[in-house]
Amino acid sequence: MKRVGLALLVVILLSVPACGESLTLVLDWFPNIDHLPLYVAQERGFFAEAGLKVNIVSPSETADALKLVAAGKSELGISYEPQVLVATSEKVPVTVVGRLIGHPLSTVLYIKGRGIEKPADLSGRPMGYTVAGMEDVLAKAFCDLNGIKDYKLVHLEFAIVPSLISGKVDSVMGGFRNYEVVELELQGYKPGYFALEEHGFPDYDELVVIANPQFVKENEKAIVSFRNALSKAIAEIKKDPQSALTDYFKAIPESDKKLERLALEKTLPFYAEDQNLSVDRWKTFADFALKVGLISRPVEVEPILWTE
């Protein structure tokens, strides 16, 4: 009996991912509906069923996930495709292992009724941007691609909605079509936006899961398990969004329920269809990033994308 028990213990131990009982995942921002698949996977036990205990951590700033993952201080993190390409071009070691949001949420946001109907109407007006070194470059690219002239770029940090309402700027590069749009609507304004992928930008993954390259090399089974749990969670969200929202409110009880309900409606079409990381799609955006000056040297995308 002791030998049988020992054999069973060995089998159990071998089935547990090499990373141990717990993985730390650092978000890109505070918890929100963009992260819903993570919380559904957590609340419904999909991670646990896969032998994973995922500790979801909020960062102090949006670049924390990249820094901590690259330094080996966190196994997983959430980042943005443009941010990953910038980091890779600067030799920051990260591997992309999955997707949360499979299309751009970022837009050039404005308020309707103020004389803006087409991109060219932004000529001669101040345009805000959020993240310096990334969104300002993308703002210039948007203006160049769409014939916008005599504009002034204004760094807003993340005061997007107040800056639009006050008239400090007439548009903002980096306003999300799910959150800032809803915030404007809740304050009685009619938001409008220019979708990047409809105005000269290649389609790209808004939010991706990144991992420490050494961790990936040593824990491929854990990565497969994580991706499977994430896929299962996204399928559940699309099947029954309201039930998924209940899970989210259980996990994040302090969230603004009205805002999150409305944001979910706008986010549903953008959750990743699968966990496949397209080399061709990433290469197209990397080439675009080089052309517009977001990155200063070419990036080979295949080595940073993990595929089963």
Side-chain angles (χ1 to χ4, degrees):
M1 290 296 291
K2 287 183 179 180
R3 289 181 180 177
V4 173
L6 180 59
L8 180 59
L9 178 60
V10 170
V11 171
I12 293 172
L13 288 174
L14 288 175
S15 67
V16 175
C19 59
E21 295 183 357
S22 180
L23 298 179
T24 297
L25 182 148
V26 181
L27 299 177
D28 59 294
W29 195 234
F30 58 83
N32 58 69
I33 286 299
D34 296 344
H35 310 129
L36 182 58
L38 298 172
Y39 289 103
V40 169
Q42 186 181 64
E43 291 297 315
R44 299 195 183 183
F46 299 159
F47 288 143
E49 289 170 5
L52 304 175
K53 181 180 179 183
V54 180
N55 181 31
I56 303 173
V57 178
S58 297
S60 57
E61 60 178 63
T62 59
D64 281 358
L66 264 168
K67 294 175 183 176
L68 293 171
V69 167
K73 295 181 179 179
S74 177
E75 292 85 6
L76 302 172
I78 302 300
S79 189
Y80 307 81
E81 181 170 335
Q83 193 177 56
V84 169
L85 290 173
V86 170
T88 302
S89 73
E90 297 172 352
K91 308 299 183 182
V92 176
V94 294
T95 300
V96 182
V97 298
R99 309 192 296 158
L100 272 184
I101 304 293
H103 304 281
L105 290 174
S106 188
T107 69
V108 174
L109 182 66
Y110 61 92
I111 294 176
K112 291 182 177 180
R114 297 184 177 182
I116 300 171
E117 295 182 0
K118 58 186 182 299
D121 294 333
L122 298 176
S123 293
R125 298 172 181 252
M127 174 184 289
Y129 66 92
T130 53
V131 180
M134 184 168 74
E135 297 293 355
D136 52 339
V137 177
L138 296 179
K140 182 180 183 301
F142 181 87
C143 291
D144 291 345
L145 287 165
N146 291 280
I148 301 167
K149 301 177 180 179
D150 302 321
Y151 57 89
K152 177 185 177 183
L153 295 181
V154 181
H155 190 199
L156 305 175
E157 296 290 345
F158 290 97
I160 296 173
V161 171
S163 297
L164 282 172
I165 291 175
S166 69
K168 180 178 180 179
V169 296
D170 291 306
S171 64
V172 177
M173 165 59 79
F176 272 20
R177 67 185 84 189
N178 54 352
Y179 273 98
E180 280 77 25
V181 163
V182 169
E183 288 180 28
L184 284 168
E185 289 172 344
L186 289 175
Q187 295 191 48
Y189 294 88
K190 292 184 178 180
Y193 61 81
F194 300 119
L196 301 185
E197 72 277 15
E198 295 175 4
H199 292 86
F201 282 52
D203 192 21
Y204 64 89
D205 295 325
E206 184 70 56
L207 284 185
V208 296
V209 183
I210 57 174
N212 178 272
Q214 188 63 31
F215 170 79
V216 173
K217 184 178 179 181
E218 297 173 357
N219 298 277
E220 288 197 357
K221 288 184 179 179
I223 297 300
V224 171
S225 296
F226 180 89
R227 283 162 56 105
N228 289 343
L230 198 58
S231 291
K232 190 173 180 180
I234 292 174
E236 290 292 301
I237 292 167
K238 293 183 176 181
K239 183 170 67 176
D240 190 348
Q242 294 309 310
S243 177
L245 195 59
T246 298
D247 291 335
Y248 177 77
F249 290 150
K250 181 180 177 183
I252 312 294
E254 69 275 15
S255 60
D256 183 331
K257 293 179 174 54
K258 184 175 183 180
L259 173 65
E260 301 290 26
R261 284 194 181 94
L262 293 171
L264 176 58
E265 293 177 9
K266 297 183 184 297
T267 311
L268 275 173
F270 295 89
Y271 289 119
E273 299 89 347
D274 51 50
Q275 293 303 301
N276 296 327
L277 299 163
S278 169
V279 172
D280 289 342
R281 190 165 175 254
W282 272 72
K283 184 181 185 306
T284 297
F285 193 82
D287 291 345
F288 172 80
L290 180 65
K291 181 179 179 181
V292 302
L294 183 63
I295 55 178
S296 59
R297 60 176 65 90
V299 169
E300 292 293 328
V301 299
E302 192 167 2
I304 66 170
L305 302 179
W306 188 86
T307 54
E308 294 183 53

